[in-house]
Amino acid sequence: MIQKNMLRSAMKNNYIVPAFNFANFEILRGILMACEETRSPVILQVSESAMNYFSDGLLFGLIQGVKKTKLPISIHLDHGKTFEVVKRAIKLGFDSVMIDGSILPFDANVKLTKKVVEYAHARKVHVEGEIGVLSVVNDDGEKGKGYVYTSPEEAKEFVRLTGVDSLAVSIGTNHGVNKYTGEPKIRYDILKKIEQAIPNIPIVLHGASLVQPEYVETINANGGRIDKAIGNEKLLKNAYKTHIAKINMDTDFRLAYTAGVREYMTQNPDKFNPRDYGNAGIEKVAECAKFRIINICHSNGKAKNKS
Ligand code: G3H
Ligand code: 13P
Ligand code: ZN
């Protein structure tokens, strides 16, 4: 199982494997350019809605192409919510799946996750589960009403009952462009307790986009309007020293790509070849990925660990 080896190596050698979502072809291209330049391993993530956007036939071909590159690459289903979507991803050639039963009651989450683990392991596919709930941020509070920090005791029991290979936890991060209404804070104290409870399980951090102001400012200076944007800019600096072995970033690439395209269009109102503005977006995505690989994941140069 390629991802299992990648994550174990990251945990042992103090770095993080970047798990980057690609929402379109251009974002994938920019991410691969950065990984090749920095010699970083990478987990390429596809959500169910991204699968639908690509269509199964084209995605299958894309995955075959990606697997031919020399880099250690894992293709991962992000936030699979049902057994059916897991089966669909495995059929398409994914070597890793996330089954996200985090909003279900504990027993139902265990039941669904265990079923996926049995199916996936029989096909040598890695499984990520989740305990704790990341939710939207309310206007009136620090975290959305549904936000549940991961309980270390539950995490331990969940791993024991399901046999997952890695575990996504909830320690303060959130999905999307606006992650905090109060002071941005990640609960490293909870993470420490989780690490003690499940010392051999690689930890996954969702909602890890930095949301750097420069991309939001470029978008807004070129006709966009993103009012609130608060990310994890300063909070993940030392994450590579912990058991966090995989961090998920999607929003940052959406911002970088949009910034590149919008800026190009403002500066070149006469251009209408999608490859012209697409390339501008690709360049920004590559720069964005490179920064995260070097400064947050410290995974540059680790591609030689391919196993
Ligand atoms: O965590 C969720 C990902 O950002 C996927 O979002 O369903 O819009 O592709 P999506
Ligand atoms: P961001 O919204 O912070 O990029 O998180 C993405 C994610 O967790 C995908 O699973
Ligand atoms: Zn996520």
Side-chain angles (χ1 to χ4, degrees):
M1 276 190 249
I2 175 156
Q3 192 177 134
K4 194 170 186 165
N5 294 335
M6 281 169 129
L7 298 186
R8 289 196 180 278
S9 170
M11 212 162 109
K12 209 169 100 201
N13 299 303
N14 275 347
Y15 66 94
I16 297 173
V17 183
F20 295 154
N21 288 60
F22 60 99
N24 64 9
F25 171 78
E26 287 75 14
I27 292 178
L28 171 63
R29 184 98 162 81
I31 289 171
L32 287 176
M33 277 162 63
C35 294
E36 272 158 17
E37 191 188 329
T38 58
R39 302 294 309 152
S40 173
V42 67
I43 297 164
L44 295 172
Q45 307 203 123
V46 189
S47 66
E48 188 173 358
S49 47
M51 277 165 106
N52 295 338
Y53 181 77
F54 283 105
S55 81
D56 287 18
L58 292 181
L59 187 57
F60 180 81
L62 207 55
I63 291 171
Q64 298 310 308
V66 161
K67 281 185 178 167
K68 290 209 168 82
T69 68
K70 294 220 170 69
L71 291 171
I73 293 179
S74 167
I75 312 279
H76 175 83
L77 170 67
D78 190 28
H79 291 284
K81 292 272 166 59
T82 60
F83 186 59
E84 285 63 42
V85 75
V86 164
K87 285 204 287 191
R88 179 178 163 200
I90 292 175
K91 210 168 149 197
L92 286 174
F94 289 51
D95 59 87
S96 172
V97 293
M98 174 190 193
I99 180 69
D100 178 3
S102 61
I103 58 161
L104 300 173
F106 183 82
D107 289 346
N109 188 1
V110 167
K111 194 171 165 206
L112 175 63
T113 306
K114 195 163 182 274
K115 185 174 169 189
V116 166
V117 168
E118 277 162 12
Y119 182 85
H121 282 183
R123 289 155 182 82
K124 297 195 177 0
V125 168
H126 178 102
V127 180
E128 172 185 326
E130 177 164 347
I131 276 286
V133 183
L134 272 64
S135 73
V136 289
V137 179
N138 279 347
D139 287 343
D140 56 350
E142 269 215 1
K143 291 287 168 206
K145 268 211 180 78
Y147 201 95
V148 180
Y149 288 103
T150 301
S151 142
E153 295 75 29
E154 268 193 6
K156 184 173 180 175
E157 193 59 359
F158 185 78
V159 168
R160 188 181 73 77
L161 293 171
T162 60
V164 286
D165 304 295
S166 56
L167 188 70
V169 300
S170 176
I171 54 170
T173 58
N174 224 328
H175 292 111
V177 78
N178 184 26
K179 301 184 184 300
Y180 304 92
T181 52
E183 187 204 341
K185 193 156 98 189
I186 292 180
R187 295 286 304 272
Y188 283 104
D189 57 323
I190 297 180
L191 177 65
K192 191 129 224 99
K193 290 189 181 136
I194 297 170
E195 288 176 350
Q196 284 159 0
I198 45 168
N200 298 317
I201 298 291
I203 307 285
V204 178
L205 194 65
H206 283 247
S209 275
L210 305 182
V211 192
Q212 284 165 294
E214 65 204 68
Y215 294 116
V216 177
E217 281 160 16
T218 302
I219 290 171
N220 288 344
N222 289 281
R225 207 186 74 206
I226 297 175
D227 292 332
K228 269 192 172 174
I230 304 166
N232 299 306
E233 211 189 342
K234 307 244 157 28
L235 300 176
L236 295 174
K237 217 167 61 114
N238 292 317
Y240 74 101
K241 296 176 184 164
T242 70
H243 286 198
I244 294 171
K246 168 177 182 277
I247 54 169
N248 288 15
M249 293 174 165
D250 184 355
T251 299
D252 279 344
F253 298 111
R254 298 178 184 205
L255 289 172
Y257 179 70
T258 304
V261 170
R262 276 194 178 277
E263 190 175 52
Y264 182 90
M265 287 200 162
T266 305
Q267 290 167 3
N268 302 276
D270 57 324
K271 300 280 193 208
F272 61 94
N273 182 340
R275 287 194 296 263
D276 290 336
Y277 56 80
N279 272 328
I282 289 171
E283 265 174 42
K284 278 263 194 283
V285 167
E287 159 208 284
C288 177
K290 201 171 148 186
F291 182 88
R292 279 142 190 78
I293 286 167
I294 294 171
N295 297 289
I296 304 295
C297 296
H298 300 265
S299 59
N300 43 310
K302 300 295 196 295
K304 59 181 175 289
N305 290 342
K306 187 170 187 173
S307 44

